[in-house]
Amino acid sequence: MEAAPSSSTCACSHLVTMPYPARGYINPMMNFCKMLLSNDNTRLILVTFVVTEEWLGFIGSDPKPDIMRFATIPNVVASDHPGFLEAVMAKMEASFEELLNRLQPPPTAIVPDTFLYWAVAVGNRRNIPVASFWTMSASIFSVLH
């Protein structure tokens, strides 16, 4: 697991984001973070974007805001889709919590993908506000709702 170096000059809010580790979930979360940071001229927001090691390799060369940091958790590897889902829902939580322990400054909010429902429990245990982020279209949300 890798954490980005701390930003000692940032007296700011520290937002930790975590997209679901699959194609189609990472880009919307990245775009949200970029839009959030593009309006932060005073640099009062620090974003740590958490992905698996594999996904950091995929997105590593994309342009990113200077104030955005990246941190990784171990890959979620399975040979089948049910195994992948089980790993995401059962194994990623512990790795994410270990990462939160190492981040400086400490997170002031967590923004996970809606499908990473265990992040709400992590935030509750640590008394950190959690705002779930829906990465799909509003029409899909209305169908599921």
Side-chain angles (χ1 to χ4, degrees):
M1 286 183 265
E2 175 186 323
S6 67
S7 177
S8 59
T9 61
C10 185
C12 55
S13 296
H14 184 186
L15 183 67
V16 175
T17 63
M18 173 96 187
Y20 187 85
R23 192 172 311 279
Y25 295 84
I26 293 175
N27 284 342
M29 182 76 78
M30 177 70 74
N31 290 337
F32 166 73
C33 293
K34 287 178 179 180
M35 286 178 21
L36 181 69
L37 292 171
S38 72
N39 293 319
D40 184 31
N41 298 331
T42 57
R43 300 226 181 234
L44 293 176
I45 302 170
L46 171 64
V47 173
T48 299
F49 197 86
V50 180
V51 290
T52 62
E53 294 162 349
E54 176 185 39
W55 276 104
L56 184 61
F58 292 151
I59 65 172
S61 62
D62 294 344
K64 301 164 202 66
D66 293 337
I67 193 87
M68 188 185 300
R69 301 187 309 179
F70 288 83
T72 61
I73 60 174
N75 289 332
V76 180
V77 179
S79 60
D80 60 346
H81 189 67
F84 173 78
L85 289 175
E86 180 182 345
V88 168
M89 297 308 166
K91 297 178 183 174
M92 283 180 65
E93 180 177 355
S95 298
F96 183 70
E97 274 209 82
E98 290 173 21
L99 176 69
L100 291 179
N101 289 336
R102 295 191 314 269
L103 290 177
Q104 290 298 322
T108 55
I110 300 171
V111 179
D113 187 281
T114 301
F115 289 110
L116 300 177
Y117 59 84
W118 47 259
V120 175
V122 170
N124 288 341
R125 283 193 298 271
R126 295 169 170 268
N127 201 27
I128 300 172
V130 177
S132 180
F133 185 75
W134 183 260
T135 56
M136 291 186 242
S137 70
S139 59
I140 296 296
F141 179 80
S142 72
V143 166
L144 294 174
H145 183 56

